[in-house]
Amino acid sequence: MAVTGSPELLIVMGATATPEQVDEVVARLAEAGADAHVTPGKDATVIGAIGDRELLATLPLEGFPGVEQVLPILKPYKLVSREMRRGPTVIEARGRRIGDGYFGLIAGPCTVEYREQTLETARAVNEAGATMLRGGAFKPRTSPYSFQGLGIEGLEILAEAREETGLPLVTELMDPRDVEPVVETADVIQIGARNMQNFTLLAEVGRAAKPVLLKRGPSASVEELLMAAEYVVREGNTQVILCERGIRTFERSTRYTLDIGAIPVLKQETHLPVIVDPSHAAGKKELVAPLARAAVAAGADGIIVEAHPHPEEALCDGPQLLPTADFGHFADEIRALASLMGRVIG
Ligand code: PEP
Ligand code: MN
């Protein structure tokens, strides 16, 4: 359900509250001219009251049967906030899960270059235990003279790789004009770092019936990332994965600076799963494993990593691509660490 106003108040219904008691609160809100956004949860149903804050404060909601607590939502992000949903959100695509203890190991080429390169990578990461396949058909390139991706043909190759391996596909949507083919083919729609604040695109994927992987912009704060996620969830799509992929700092020894601190901060602030892209942060393949390990140890719900059968021949991001020959060892190490952190591969 799309939300048209800003949820200002949270009404937490006790574990034993009946559906009728929830309906009574919703009806009282409607009577006062306010809307309700109901989120059923494992332990409690939470009602977000949407309307004028001052007016809402005058309603005797605490006295309603079944109501446990009434709290103002003080943060600028509402629907994605921890307060809104007590339990963690789990994202599901073709039976693979991320969040609430399920660890996502997403791997694949940076870019779909040609059929064999993509199929070979997909087979290798699948054999090594990846849970989803990544790969860009539409590529955001810094230079207009660089390879821009195969577009629709790339989507077809990815679909073939999924057909063969069974791995759900994560692929980027860059342009609202490509919504139809990308949403149809993707199992998870990636919104790249450069488009994190493309609000029209965020609203588009908010109306899609597929999960969204939202990458943090290189110069975006954690709060801005959460506000971007709020744009998606507000349209009705609650299946959002957040991704820390490194931010722009003065440091040049890595491509970006992986903001490890953002992981526990995000876990504190939101119920959405948080994953990490060590590849784009590192910019160099030998730094990918240490950053990935740090991400798992900091509590990430998954990682998204780039691999290629012949990185030296790659058309995009060559220096940071893990050779598929090394991917099995990398995956073993990540799996062991994830299990140490109490996660199961999703
Ligand atoms: C990617 O994952 O393919 C990509 C381009 O990453 P980012 O948007 O984080 O730069
Ligand atoms: Mn890349």
Side-chain angles (χ1 to χ4, degrees):
M1 183 190 71
V3 176
T4 43
S6 164
E8 297 294 341
L9 215 58
L10 274 185
I11 303 145
V12 183
M13 304 299 290
T16 55
T18 63
E20 291 72 32
Q21 289 173 336
V22 173
D23 290 346
E24 256 178 65
V25 174
V26 172
R28 182 65 187 93
L29 289 171
E31 210 179 288
D35 279 329
H37 183 266
V38 180
T39 312
K42 251 192 279 175
D43 317 319
T45 293
V46 174
I47 305 169
I50 301 160
D52 181 69
R53 181 176 289 196
E54 321 262 278
L55 175 104
L56 289 169
T58 64
L59 301 178
L61 297 163
E62 243 140 7
F64 272 67
V67 172
E68 187 183 282
Q69 227 182 350
V70 179
L71 306 161
I73 316 180
L74 301 173
K75 298 277 169 58
Y77 36 89
K78 314 280 178 185
L79 302 170
V80 305
S81 72
R82 260 284 169 212
E83 290 90 348
M84 192 68 195
R85 214 187 144 116
R86 287 184 170 182
T89 288
V90 185
I91 269 61
E92 202 171 329
R94 291 183 186 261
R96 308 316 292 255
R97 283 176 281 195
I98 300 179
D100 197 15
Y102 294 104
F103 189 89
L105 180 50
I106 310 171
C110 170
T111 307
V112 177
E113 298 170 11
Y114 55 96
R115 187 171 169 271
E116 260 319 303
Q117 164 255 4
T118 301
L119 291 181
E120 211 180 304
T121 311
R123 284 177 202 129
V125 301
N126 185 39
E127 262 165 48
T131 61
M132 294 189 191
L133 177 67
R134 64 145 290 146
F138 296 92
K139 292 301 299 179
R141 300 306 302 277
T142 301
S143 164
Y145 306 113
S146 301
F147 177 57
Q148 304 286 308
L150 292 179
I152 300 291
E153 192 193 337
L155 293 177
E156 287 163 4
I157 295 173
L158 284 169
E160 191 182 342
R162 168 177 58 205
E163 184 75 22
E164 194 186 311
T165 59
L167 291 176
L169 295 178
V170 180
T171 198
E172 180 162 352
L173 171 68
M174 282 178 44
D175 188 327
R177 289 168 297 188
D178 298 322
V179 163
E180 223 179 278
V182 175
V183 171
E184 196 188 306
T185 308
D187 296 300
V188 176
I189 311 155
Q190 178 171 320
I191 299 295
R194 288 155 194 83
N195 271 318
M196 190 204 85
Q197 284 186 317
N198 183 335
F199 301 118
T200 3
L201 195 61
L202 295 175
E204 282 290 344
V205 296
R207 291 187 285 269
K210 299 271 173 81
V212 173
L213 192 166
L214 178 62
K215 298 188 91 173
R216 179 180 181 183
S219 303
S221 65
V222 165
E223 185 172 304
E224 286 163 339
L225 171 61
L226 289 166
M227 293 310 289
E230 188 85 10
Y231 266 91
V232 179
V233 175
R234 179 177 185 270
E235 293 295 329
N237 189 351
T238 55
Q239 293 270 288
V240 179
I241 307 164
L242 302 174
C243 180
E244 162 60 36
R245 45 78 75 206
I247 50 175
R248 176 89 72 179
T249 69
F250 56 83
E251 183 53 63
R252 297 268 70 89
S253 55
T254 49
R255 187 174 174 190
Y256 293 93
T257 299
L258 186 66
D259 184 6
I260 288 288
I263 305 162
V265 170
L266 284 166
K267 297 294 294 176
Q268 227 167 48
E269 293 296 308
T270 179
H271 52 82
L272 298 174
V274 178
I275 68 165
V276 168
D277 174 347
S279 301
H280 288 89
K284 298 181 187 108
K285 69 169 183 296
E286 60 277 17
L287 299 179
V288 172
L291 293 187
R293 287 187 216 119
V296 182
D301 297 299
I303 54 169
I304 176 165
V305 183
E306 293 184 339
H308 196 286
H310 314 285
E312 64 290 351
E313 293 168 14
L315 296 178
C316 183
D317 287 349
Q320 74 195 31
L321 306 176
L322 289 183
T324 47
D326 299 346
F327 189 77
H329 173 69
F330 171 83
D332 287 346
E333 204 179 71
I334 293 303
R335 245 193 317 271
L337 265 178
S339 136
L340 204 62
M341 291 298 296
R343 307 296 162 99
V344 291
I345 300 297

